[in-house]
Amino acid sequence: MILFKMDVNDLDTHPEMLNACLRELHHIDVALVAHGTLPDQTKCENDVGVLLDTFATNAVSTIMLLSVIANHLEIQCSGTLAVISSVAGDRGRQSNYVYGAAKAAVSTFCEGLRARLYKVGVHVVTIKPGFVSTPMTAGLDLPKKLTVSPERAGQAIRRAIERKMNVVYVPGFWWWIMLIIRSMPHDILKRTRL
């Protein structure tokens, strides 16, 4: 087992991490990029520093890490690159639009990356979880019927990687929920508390 500790916002450490992995593994079959923070939207609105930190952690560092790994997989001509995005990136909603904008950037980046790497036999999976009971969501008043355990989310992610899915909602019922939210007219959406 390889352990490499880093601050994802220290972008210079990303190539170091990849090189450390390659020294031990020599080949990457699957890379899962799964980091982020869930900010307080009100703090983001009132403090540009918090907003920029949130975007740096949830978008910039993720995109940089994806780029470093993708460039290696492109040379390798094989492998799967999976990334945790979020259902929050599907639509800008007043309750978490800073976090959502960061995740939308990741999802859009992955769409282009998927098309680029497909030509060389590398697959990119975008994972869009809904509510998962983790330390990140601890303390939030989440609807129990819409919240899943980390184990259930992990099983869905593993299946998506094995099946080489392009985009997966975790759990799957979030596809339907987000279809409704994506279809909502702007005049209605701006009046909701979503």
Side-chain angles (χ1 to χ4, degrees), residues 7 19 38 42 46 51 80 123 138 146 157 168:
D7 176 349
N19 290 334
L38 187 59
T42 303
N46 294 312
L51 186 152
T80 297
H123 188 68
L146 299 180
I157 291 167
V168 63

Side-chain angles (χ1 to χ4, degrees), residues 2 18-29 72 76:
I2 305 160
L18 179 63
N19 290 334
C21 289
L22 290 171
R23 277 193 299 274
E24 293 293 322
L25 301 173
H26 308 291
H27 182 87
I28 297 173
D29 295 317
H72 172 76
Q76 185 178 280

Side-chain angles (χ1 to χ4, degrees), residues 1-187:
M1 174 186 251
I2 305 160
L3 183 62
F4 186 96
K5 187 176 177 181
M6 70 177 192
D7 176 349
V8 293
N9 288 318
D10 182 355
L11 305 181
D12 292 336
T13 61
H14 293 193
E16 292 174 30
M17 178 277 305
L18 179 63
N19 290 334
C21 289
L22 290 171
R23 277 193 299 274
E24 293 293 322
L25 301 173
H26 308 291
H27 182 87
I28 297 173
D29 295 317
V30 177
L32 173 62
V33 176
H35 69 270
T37 60
L38 187 59
D40 179 311
Q41 176 63 38
T42 303
K43 287 182 181 174
C44 289
E45 292 167 10
N46 294 312
D47 185 334
V48 72
V50 173
L51 186 152
L52 293 174
D53 287 347
T54 295
F55 207 82
T57 300
N58 291 293
V60 176
S61 70
T62 304
I63 288 169
M64 172 67 176
L65 192 54
L66 288 169
S67 297
V68 168
I69 298 168
N71 289 342
H72 172 76
L73 294 179
E74 187 172 33
I75 294 166
Q76 185 178 280
C77 290
S78 66
T80 297
L81 181 52
V83 63
I84 305 286
S85 183
S86 173
V87 297
D90 280 10
R91 191 85 194 260
R93 296 170 293 125
Q94 70 170 317
S95 63
N96 66 352
Y97 63 86
V98 173
Y99 176 77
K103 293 302 185 177
V106 169
S107 294
T108 301
F109 182 84
C110 286
E111 231 178 309
L113 193 60
R114 183 178 303 113
R116 171 187 148 201
L117 296 178
Y118 171 79
K119 298 172 181 79
V120 296
V122 176
H123 188 68
V124 177
V125 183
T126 305
I127 301 150
K128 296 183 175 186
F131 302 134
V132 181
S133 183
T134 65
M136 188 165 111
T137 59
L140 298 179
D141 186 23
L142 302 177
K144 289 190 191 291
K145 290 186 178 186
L146 299 180
T147 305
V148 297
S149 69
E151 293 77 17
R152 185 169 167 203
Q155 291 167 355
I157 291 167
R158 189 193 75 236
R159 278 193 307 273
I161 291 169
E162 289 171 350
R163 294 176 183 170
K164 296 198 179 294
M165 296 174 75
N166 295 317
V167 178
V168 63
Y169 286 81
V170 176
F173 61 73
W174 277 96
W175 185 88
W176 295 101
I177 294 170
M178 296 315 296
L179 175 66
I180 292 165
I181 292 173
R182 284 192 312 270
S183 302
M184 203 178 285
H186 290 281
D187 283 341

